[in-house]
Amino acid sequence: MTKIKVCKVTELAPGAAIRIAAGPEPIAVFRLNDGFYAISDACTHAQTSLAAGDVDLEDCTVECPYHGALFDIRSGRAMGAPASRPVRTYPVKIIDGEVFIEMESVDIG
Ligand code: FES
């Protein structure tokens, strides 16, 4: 398991997101009211960046900025058309005030 540093905990407010492009696919890391979550950044409808979408802190969803598909940030589940396939989720760890995502393997280069 490879850890990729995302940011400091204090750098993301609840409802904010950051896009990380250090692994095999871009990843969107979101801060919700109960913690940090990471999902594939590419919408499963037409690959738009979900990190640029609107976050609903009550429903824990992100709305794709292109056609409006909804995804559950915690599970990756597609909750509204036109996307029907889920996005991949990644484990997040907080270590000494910093946010990391964990990946099976990373080919940085
Ligand atoms: S690209 Fe996300 S809903 Fe179409």
Side-chain angles (χ1 to χ4, degrees):
M1 196 69 89
T2 302
K3 284 187 181 62
I4 298 173
K5 182 180 170 183
V6 176
C7 64
K8 293 181 179 180
V9 166
T10 54
E11 290 181 78
L12 271 189
I18 189 169
R19 183 179 189 269
I20 301 296
E25 68 171 348
I27 296 172
V29 180
F30 296 88
R31 185 172 188 175
L32 300 179
N33 286 328
D34 65 350
F36 292 82
Y37 296 87
I39 60 176
S40 172
D41 185 52
C43 176
T44 56
H45 177 237
Q47 307 297 304
T48 297
S49 172
L50 294 174
D54 287 335
V55 173
D56 185 320
L57 281 172
E58 282 192 21
D59 293 341
C60 302
T61 57
V62 60
E63 180 178 355
C64 177
Y66 200 15
H67 305 112
L70 276 182
F71 292 90
D72 185 314
I73 292 170
R74 295 178 296 188
S75 69
R77 187 167 58 101
M79 300 178 64
S84 58
R85 290 177 291 120
V87 287
R88 185 173 177 179
T89 61
Y90 293 89
V92 176
K93 292 262 193 266
I94 307 298
I95 302 171
D96 295 332
E98 295 185 324
V99 181
F100 294 84
I101 49 178
E102 293 186 329
M103 308 184 87
E104 287 294 327
S105 62
V106 177
D107 182 17
I108 299 173

